[in-house]
């Protein structure tokens, strides 16, 4: 709760109180004291009035879908219900305007309600960041009849949106660079793949054109194919090094970093799933959890949980993930390809690190 006082109006109020004291002292009588008591009770009575209004006020928010997608517009509705015995005059609604856009509802919009009246406001909503966070109406404010002070109160039941990141190709550049250094590519030992070998045999129907030895075929005047060898694919692991920030401290700067972090992680997973290459993903979901993506279907399962599943249940889980990161960087898991995706790297560090 925040209280904001208009200084010049408060000074005028004090002058009026002093004048009423002087008037009652010199003239006395019921009229003079009625003015004095009325002025003195103005602030406490208005505070009581605001407290009663807030106690019986109900605000319900909903969006047409359970999970949203960043950048897409969805239908939003807020219902405001006065269940009290007093009318509500010129209450203002304040929005989470730094994290979502409400197109038909203004920040600071005034609402007045009669006794037991209910109003509904509808709008399109666009969430700017991926992740799980509160959107819609953040708080309400009440003012006394003369505007001397304003009380702003957070609503007790905010709407928590789950916003999925966009699926982009932002990680392709990083992974393609790695393939230039690693001749075997980012592969997995769970599968093997055919690669053209040195042995040859006559061309058979169904052989890939890439397997044909064109120079030798031209010399022999018949098509010959290289016999494929089996090449072991390497193991790829994505380690998502998220920060440990309590929910109450997750401000706009945090949401921007989380948005980039999730979008890059999803892009990396999609890069492998799109090629049919298996990848293991380690991330904090309360405890340290793992997902395995080796197909379009398993990618969708990972994508469905990633927006609201990145958090730590305790500081011990955070320490465990940091220890895994340290072990990877020091070569404990040699023979594998590890891609560490960091949510909040140091000033001179990049947001990703490839090991192995």
């Amino acid at each position: 709760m925040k209280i904001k006082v208009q200084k010049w109006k408060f000074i005028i109020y004090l002058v009026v109180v002093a004048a009423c004291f002087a008037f009652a002292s010199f003239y006395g009588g019921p009229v003079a004291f009625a003015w004095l008591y009325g002025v003195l009770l103005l602030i406490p009575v208005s505070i009581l009035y605001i407290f009663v209004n807030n106690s019986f006020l109900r605000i319900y928010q909903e969006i047409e879908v359970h999970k949203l997608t960043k950048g897409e517009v969805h239908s939003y509705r807020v219902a405001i219900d006065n269940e009290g015995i007093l009318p509500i005059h010129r209450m203002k609604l304040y929005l989470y305007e730094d994290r979502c856009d409400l197109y038909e509802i203004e920040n600071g919009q005034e609402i007045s309600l009669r006794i037991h009246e209910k109003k509904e406001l509808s709008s399109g909503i666009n969430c700017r960041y991926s992740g799980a966070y509160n959107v819609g109406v953040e708080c309400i404010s009440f003012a006394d009849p003369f505007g001397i002070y304003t009380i702003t109160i957070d609503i007790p039941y905010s709407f928590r949106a789950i916003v999925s990141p966009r699926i982009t190709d932002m990680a392709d550049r990083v992974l393609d660079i790695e393939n230039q250094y690693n001749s075997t590519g980012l592969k997995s030992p769970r599968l093997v793949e055919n690669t053209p070998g040195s042995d040859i045999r006559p061309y058979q129907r169904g052989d890939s054109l890439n397997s044909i030895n064109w120079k030798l075929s031209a010399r022999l005047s018949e098509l010959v194919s290289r016999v494929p060898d089996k090449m072991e694919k390497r193991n790829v692991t994505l380690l998502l090094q998220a920060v440990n920030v309590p929910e109450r401290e997750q401000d706009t700067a945090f949401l921007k970093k989380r948005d980039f972090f999730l979008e890059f992680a999803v892009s990396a997973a999609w890069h492998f799933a799109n090629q049919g290459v298996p990848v293991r993903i380690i991330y904090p979901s309360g405890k340290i959890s793992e997902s395995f993506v080796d197909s379009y279907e398993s990618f969708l399962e990972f994508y469905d949980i990633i927006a609201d599943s990145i958090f730590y249940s305790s500081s011990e889980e955070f320490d465990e993930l940091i220890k895994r990161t340290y072990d990877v960087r020091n070569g404990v898991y040699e023979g594998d390809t590890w891609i560490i995706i960091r949510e909040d790297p140091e000033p001179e560090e990049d947001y990703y690190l490839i090991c192995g």
Side-chain angles (χ1 to χ4, degrees):
M1 182 174 66
K2 299 179 180 178
I3 300 177
K4 182 179 180 180
V5 178
Q6 296 287 344
K7 293 183 179 179
W8 66 275
K9 290 186 177 181
F10 185 67
I11 292 173
I12 293 175
Y13 170 75
L14 293 178
V15 171
V16 172
V17 170
C20 290
F21 262 114
F23 182 70
S25 299
F26 282 101
Y27 296 99
V31 175
F33 279 95
W35 275 100
L36 176 61
Y37 293 148
V39 172
L40 288 176
L41 292 174
L42 173 64
I43 291 181
V45 169
S46 60
I47 291 176
L48 179 62
Y49 173 76
I50 291 174
F51 173 78
V52 172
N53 281 340
N54 182 64
S55 299
F56 289 96
L57 182 68
R58 302 291 180 265
I59 299 179
Y60 307 98
Q61 305 180 74
E62 66 177 13
I63 299 180
E64 61 178 342
V65 294
H66 173 63
K67 287 191 175 182
L68 296 78
T69 302
K70 173 189 170 183
E72 293 185 358
V73 179
H74 300 275
S75 296
Y76 167 85
R77 184 177 71 92
V78 55
I80 308 164
D81 190 5
N82 178 18
E83 297 181 352
I85 57 175
L86 297 173
I88 297 176
H89 295 289
R90 301 184 68 181
M91 176 185 71
K92 291 186 178 181
L93 303 178
Y94 291 96
L95 314 174
Y96 285 101
E97 62 176 352
D98 59 335
R99 57 185 66 176
C100 67
D101 297 310
L102 287 167
Y103 299 107
E104 284 80 38
I105 302 176
E106 296 181 359
N107 191 44
Q109 183 168 331
E110 289 188 352
I111 297 290
S112 296
L113 297 170
R114 298 187 299 271
I115 299 172
H116 297 303
E117 183 182 6
K118 180 178 180 179
K119 288 186 177 181
E120 291 188 1
L121 302 176
S122 299
S123 173
I125 186 172
N126 174 29
C127 295
R128 301 179 185 177
Y129 312 110
S130 54
Y133 51 90
N134 294 333
V135 298
V137 179
E138 177 182 10
C139 56
I140 54 177
S141 71
F142 301 92
D144 69 286
F146 297 97
I148 298 174
Y149 64 90
T150 302
I151 298 179
T152 303
I153 305 171
D154 293 335
I155 61 174
Y157 20 82
S158 299
F159 185 87
R160 187 172 179 81
I162 300 173
V163 186
S164 299
R166 292 177 296 189
I167 302 174
T168 66
D169 59 354
M170 65 183 298
D172 289 356
R173 175 183 58 86
V174 175
L175 302 182
D176 288 342
I177 290 175
E178 168 60 9
N179 283 331
Q180 294 176 12
Y181 289 98
N182 183 0
S183 61
T184 61
L186 300 175
K187 309 299 182 181
S188 169
R190 295 176 179 267
L191 297 175
V192 292
E193 64 178 352
N194 292 329
T195 59
S198 57
D199 295 335
I200 61 171
R201 59 169 170 76
Y203 173 80
Q204 296 178 2
R205 185 177 181 180
D207 286 349
S208 171
L209 294 179
N210 293 329
S211 68
I212 298 176
N213 189 325
W214 294 103
K215 291 184 178 179
L216 185 59
S217 297
R219 190 162 60 243
L220 298 177
S221 299
E222 63 174 333
L223 292 176
V224 292
S225 300
R226 290 174 291 184
V227 179
D229 293 332
K230 298 293 184 180
M231 183 183 72
E232 183 178 302
K233 298 180 180 182
R234 300 192 67 193
N235 181 60
V236 182
T237 301
L238 299 181
L239 180 60
L240 308 188
Q241 185 182 324
V243 297
N244 187 21
V245 176
E247 185 175 343
R248 62 181 179 275
E249 299 177 11
Q250 295 180 3
D251 55 8
T252 304
F254 168 85
L255 293 178
K256 290 181 179 179
K257 291 182 180 179
R258 175 58 55 91
D259 173 58
F260 182 87
F261 175 72
L262 294 179
E263 189 166 327
F264 187 87
V266 167
S267 173
W270 172 246
H271 176 84
F272 294 109
N274 196 36
Q275 300 179 33
V277 177
V279 58
R280 182 172 58 135
I281 305 172
I282 300 176
Y283 57 95
S285 182
K287 296 183 177 180
I288 306 302
S289 305
E290 294 187 11
S291 291
F292 187 74
V293 175
D294 61 352
S295 65
Y296 179 71
E297 290 73 19
S298 58
F299 168 78
L300 290 181
E301 293 178 4
F302 170 72
Y303 180 74
D304 189 54
I305 66 173
I306 190 63
D308 60 333
S309 295
I310 302 296
F311 67 97
Y312 299 93
S313 59
S314 64
S315 57
E316 288 76 13
E317 297 298 329
F318 175 71
D319 294 338
E320 170 64 21
L321 190 132
I322 295 300
K323 181 179 181 301
R324 290 201 187 191
T325 304
Y326 178 83
D327 291 341
V328 170
R329 299 186 66 171
N330 286 274
V332 175
Y333 303 98
E334 293 182 356
D336 297 340
T337 297
W338 287 71
I339 303 175
I340 302 173
I341 303 175
R342 297 178 283 205
E343 183 173 10
D344 190 18
E346 296 297 327
E348 296 183 355
E349 292 184 336
D350 211 334
Y351 54 86
Y352 66 91
L353 177 66
I354 300 177
C355 306

